[in-house]
Amino acid sequence: MSTLAPNTENEDEEMSLVEHLVDLRRSLINILLVMLGVFVLMLPFNQSIYELFARPVLMNLMPGQKMLAQQPIDVFLTPIKVCFFMAVLISIPWTLYQIWRFVAPGMYRHEKRLMLPMVVSSTLLFYLGVLFAYFVILPLMFSFLVKTGASLQGVELMPDITSYVSLSLAMFMAFGLVFEVPVATVILIRMGVVEIKTLTAKRPYIILIAFVVGMVLTPPDIFSQTLLAVPMLVLFEIGILVAKYWQGNTEESEEEKAR
């Protein structure tokens, strides 16, 4: 009588899947714990953090103007929301490190060499996009809006704090993601999804797409749309230049190995 041998291959695969799920759970817990820790550390300073966050609009208010809180609870909740967003923002390097740690074991060596600089550069570019929105875009936008509102007779402009926070967060995320365009361009070219000459040939369509994205992600005025679309196009061109430089170095190294 023959006995059935245990299917060790399936057991190994199941254990491997369980181990991956446990590792994923550990990474998610590590990300959440760091975000929560940063959030708790920032809570005692929530008023000061909110004032710094609201500086782009506060510095552009007319003499005697103040921001408006339509609900009493907004005065309490809005600074806490800002602290949570700042905790998420500050934790981005740790979050990306945890993602890198989880996916790295399944990557080839050349993929790791590509992935690590992409992660570092994407983090720096995201922060650069947020800072660009904070120091350039929001001050220009609110200066324009406040002056426009002051010129209307019978209208007193009083920015709402919750609306300001929602708009600012949207602008931070929009410009943070837009500044990832060079990284996305390089990755697409390196993966062979698209060629450099194809992107350069489609430049008129990319210009149109940039303004459409600006229209979707920003308030409905041509000023804000242009402020988003122009940096996107500049960053796209930077991505093309980086991809050309990287591709040239790769071809040279392959030629040297072939000799």
Side-chain angles (χ1 to χ4, degrees), residues 1-14:
M1 182 175 63
S2 62
T3 58
L4 292 175
N7 193 343
T8 57
E9 182 178 353
N10 290 338
E11 290 180 357
D12 292 341
E13 290 179 357
E14 184 177 354

Side-chain angles (χ1 to χ4, degrees), residues 125-144:
L125 285 171
F126 184 85
Y127 281 140
L128 186 61
V130 172
L131 292 174
F132 182 75
Y134 179 82
F135 286 105
V136 179
I137 303 301
L138 290 178
L140 288 174
M141 180 186 301
F142 284 109
S143 175
F144 171 77

Side-chain angles (χ1 to χ4, degrees), residues 2 8 23 33 54 62 70 113 115 118 124-125 133 139 145 150 165 179 187 189 216 232 243 249 256 258:
S2 62
T8 57
D23 193 29
L33 285 177
M62 303 293 289
Q70 294 186 358
R113 287 199 299 265
M115 189 69 177
M118 290 293 103
L124 295 176
L125 285 171
L145 293 176
V165 169
F179 271 62
I187 290 176
I189 293 174
V216 172
M232 188 186 303
N249 286 346
E256 291 178 358

Side-chain angles (χ1 to χ4, degrees), residues 7 11 31 34 155 191 200 206 237 249:
N7 193 343
E11 290 180 357
I31 291 172
V34 170
V155 176
M191 292 178 62
T200 54
I206 293 173
E237 297 296 336
N249 286 346

Side-chain angles (χ1 to χ4, degrees), residues 88-241:
V88 173
L89 200 64
I90 293 172
S91 303
I92 284 178
W94 174 253
T95 302
L96 292 177
Y97 168 73
Q98 290 297 318
I99 296 173
W100 161 257
R101 190 191 63 80
F102 177 73
V103 303
M107 301 176 67
Y108 294 106
R109 184 176 299 177
H110 70 277
E111 291 176 333
K112 291 181 181 179
R113 287 199 299 265
L114 175 64
M115 189 69 177
L116 188 56
M118 290 293 103
V119 169
V120 174
S121 60
S122 62
T123 303
L124 295 176
L125 285 171
F126 184 85
Y127 281 140
L128 186 61
V130 172
L131 292 174
F132 182 75
Y134 179 82
F135 286 105
V136 179
I137 303 301
L138 290 178
L140 288 174
M141 180 186 301
F142 284 109
S143 175
F144 171 77
L145 293 176
V146 168
K147 291 177 181 178
T148 302
S151 64
L152 296 177
Q153 293 184 357
V155 176
E156 183 178 0
L157 180 63
M158 298 180 67
D160 177 62
I161 59 174
T162 55
S163 299
Y164 167 74
V165 169
S166 299
L167 175 61
S168 297
L169 295 184
M171 296 299 288
F172 288 153
M173 294 303 299
F175 278 88
L177 293 176
V178 162
F179 271 62
E180 301 293 330
V181 167
V183 176
T185 303
V186 172
I187 290 176
L188 290 175
I189 293 174
R190 290 286 296 180
M191 292 178 62
V193 177
V194 66
E195 296 182 354
I196 295 177
K197 61 181 181 181
T198 302
L199 287 177
T200 54
K202 301 295 183 180
R203 187 175 280 113
Y205 298 100
I206 293 173
I207 294 174
L208 177 61
I209 291 172
F211 279 92
V212 171
V213 171
M215 179 179 63
V216 172
L217 296 181
T218 61
D221 61 88
I222 190 64
F223 180 71
S224 302
Q225 296 168 15
T226 304
L227 287 176
L228 182 65
V230 171
M232 188 186 303
L233 295 173
V234 172
L235 291 165
F236 167 74
E237 297 296 336
I238 292 174
I240 293 290
L241 293 176

